[in-house]
Amino acid sequence: MSHKIKSKEEIKEIVKNLKQQGKKIVTTNGTFDILHTAHLRLLQKAKSLGDILIVLINSDNSVKKFKGEKRPILPEKERAEHLAHLFSTDYITIFDEDNPLSLLKDLKPNFHVKGGSFIPERIKEEKKLLESWSGKLKTFE
């Protein structure tokens, strides 16, 4: 399953090729520290919006900045591997920034999905960015 885990450079090239094939790209992001039922449901709903689901996960450094020194519970490579074993996920990439804006700008997904725990101010930025190329932000509770 590690074939699903890609560097940012690899995922950019993959998305470019998939778009040339007319595929709809869906992204979601988060820590995914301890995978639970809400995560699984979110990933299934996200996948239903398009052809390819790419999960953007926060690096260990990014999680520590956001959630404190005791987090993440699981290191980034384990979190990525857990996600890679799910049928709903096509690719996983790890990002080190505080938010996924730079990666979203590079990938230009058709949809970006947020689950129940998001920061309203942050999703405003993401929504505005997505709309700049006619992408859509979708939230699920």
Side-chain angles (χ1 to χ4, degrees):
M1 287 299 149
S2 60
H3 66 278
K4 289 184 176 184
I5 303 167
K6 303 296 182 185
S7 70
K8 288 195 282 187
E9 292 73 27
E10 289 173 315
I11 203 68
K12 289 177 201 176
E13 191 62 31
I14 289 167
V15 167
K16 179 181 162 189
N17 291 331
L18 289 167
K19 285 183 173 187
Q20 288 173 347
Q21 297 170 37
K23 302 288 185 185
K24 273 191 192 172
I25 307 298
V26 181
T27 56
T28 190
N29 73 283
T31 304
F32 297 96
D33 202 0
I34 295 188
L35 218 48
H36 51 74
T37 305
H39 287 139
L40 300 175
R41 289 179 183 147
L42 170 72
L43 294 168
Q44 286 176 324
K45 287 177 183 177
K47 174 69 175 183
S48 74
L49 294 173
D51 301 305
I52 302 294
L53 175 60
I54 303 169
V55 182
L56 317 173
I57 66 170
N58 295 77
S59 69
D60 292 347
N61 289 333
S62 175
V63 175
K64 282 186 190 322
K65 284 187 224 171
F66 186 58
K67 297 193 175 197
E69 282 301 313
K70 294 186 178 185
R71 298 288 295 276
I73 295 167
L74 298 174
E76 61 193 42
K77 288 187 174 149
E78 275 188 54
R79 293 183 282 127
E81 192 168 334
H82 287 179
L83 290 165
H85 282 277
L86 301 176
F87 290 116
S88 57
T89 62
D90 294 295
Y91 297 102
I92 298 94
T93 194
I94 299 167
F95 68 96
D96 204 36
E97 299 80 14
D98 292 341
N99 61 53
L101 293 174
S102 175
L103 198 47
L104 290 173
K105 191 174 185 180
D106 289 336
L107 301 179
K108 293 182 174 52
N110 300 89
F111 291 96
H112 184 61
V113 175
K114 302 302 272 190
S117 61
F118 52 79
I119 300 167
E121 189 57 41
R122 188 172 283 180
I123 67 166
K124 283 181 190 175
E125 290 178 86
E126 292 171 9
K127 183 177 185 204
K128 183 178 178 183
L129 179 63
L130 282 142
E131 288 173 348
S132 73
W133 61 79
S134 301
K136 292 187 176 17
L137 180 74
K138 181 82 173 159
T139 58
F140 292 115
E141 296 297 320

